[in-house]
Structure formats: structure tokens, C-alpha cells
Amino acid sequence: VMMIRLSYPLSVTTPLYPGTPDIEIHHLRSIANGDSANTSIVKLSSHSGTHIDAPYHFCVHGKAVADILQSENEFFPTVMIDIPKKNSVITPSDIVPFTNHINNAKGLLIRTGMYRCRNTYPKEYTTENPWIHPDVPDFLRKSFPDIRIFGTDTISVSNPSQKVDGRL
């Protein structure tokens, strides 16, 4: 079994999608100051961290993360495929070569390689990510009807310079 990190650590220096409000962490109590515990107040956008979208993100009547990530829902097996891309579109034709790996999968993760520049080149990570072509969701639904969760190692399924395609 291979473990796959589904979320990056979040901090005030986390690279965020352009226009997303900064993460705020306010220390409330501190053992060093005589309090019984260290506690903080954390304020962040739901668009922070790894990009595993729930349908509600772009569909008014879609399911939210809380609906999907119920304990009775199972996402096994989840398959990760490598589609190395940067600042370009991921289309159904990029996924087709992995058909034998994806059949019967409940989850699909696409590793583009963008995770490598997240900490060292955050500007590149937030502005030059590949994006998911609008045909991909329908292709996945028709070709792999068991898939229940989809994610990438990018900051968004869209790219700041390709917002229209990412929202279709």
C-alpha cells in the first residue's frame, strides 16, 4: 500500500490561488505565558491547500465536502496517475493511456509534478499550473462511473490565465 498525502501543511506562508485571502493564525493562549494549553484561532479560505474539489464548488446543487467525506463512503481503490504538465491543459486524451489502471477505481488523483515547486517557487505553483479541460468530468463519469473523488497536485482545476475553461 502506498501512502499519498492528500493535503499540504497550511501556514501563513502557504501559496494560495491568486486573489485568495491570506491565511491568518492568531495565538489565543500559550503555555509559555502561563495558560494551561497552546491554542490558536485559524482563518482560511476553503480554497487553501490541496485541490480535491467537491461538486458544490462549481455546481449550485452539487454535493459539498461534508456530504462526500462521510465515514460510510469508501474511496478504495484510489489510483494516482502521472500526467506531467505545466501551464497547459489536461484533456481526456491524457487520461486514456491509464484506462486499465483506472477501471473500477473509486478515486482518481492526477500528479502533474507541480507539487515539486510549491515551496521553492510558489509564484510558479500558483500561476503556471495545468488545468482540467471541461470535457474531463463528463469523460470520467462516462468511462469510469465508479469514481467518486478526483484530485490533483495543483492549486486549482483551473489556471488564473484560463479561468473560463476551468469553470465550464
Side-chain angles (χ1 to χ4, degrees):
V1 174
M2 181 173 148
M3 300 300 287
I4 300 169
R5 179 183 288 200
L6 292 182
S7 183
Y8 296 114
L10 297 175
S11 72
V12 295
T13 62
T14 295
L16 301 170
Y17 191 83
T20 302
D22 290 340
I23 293 174
E24 297 177 26
I25 301 174
H26 303 283
H27 299 285
L28 186 62
R29 293 187 178 86
S30 167
I31 294 172
N33 291 339
D35 295 319
S36 61
N38 294 313
T39 61
S40 300
I41 296 173
V42 180
K43 180 180 174 185
L44 57 101
S45 165
S46 62
H47 208 265
S48 304
T50 305
H51 215 85
I52 296 180
D53 257 340
Y56 181 71
H57 187 60
F58 285 113
C59 303
V60 173
H61 301 292
K63 290 186 176 187
V65 172
D67 300 323
I68 294 169
L69 298 180
Q70 297 294 316
S71 60
E72 67 271 6
N73 290 338
E74 180 182 294
F75 305 106
F76 180 81
T78 292
V79 175
M80 181 177 63
I81 59 175
D82 286 303
I83 302 178
K85 294 249 183 171
K86 180 179 171 185
N87 214 14
S88 60
V89 66
I90 294 173
T91 66
S93 64
D94 292 311
I95 299 170
V96 167
F98 300 97
T99 297
N100 290 338
H101 299 297
I102 301 171
N103 280 334
N104 303 315
K106 300 284 193 238
L108 176 61
L109 304 174
I110 295 178
R111 183 168 56 184
T112 67
M114 288 302 293
Y115 69 92
R116 290 186 195 104
C117 67
R118 184 177 179 276
N119 292 327
T120 51
Y121 302 103
K123 178 85 169 153
E124 183 178 314
Y125 176 76
T126 60
T127 61
E128 297 182 20
N129 61 289
W131 63 96
I132 305 299
H133 190 277
D135 291 344
V136 168
D138 284 339
F139 168 74
L140 292 175
R141 276 193 288 276
K142 290 175 185 166
S143 303
F144 311 103
D146 292 336
I147 289 179
R148 298 289 176 253
I149 192 167
F150 173 79
T152 72
D153 63 346
T154 62
I155 194 134
S156 179
V157 294
S158 68
N159 176 292
S161 66
Q162 302 294 328
K163 284 184 181 180
V164 172
D165 278 350
R167 290 184 180 161
L168 293 178

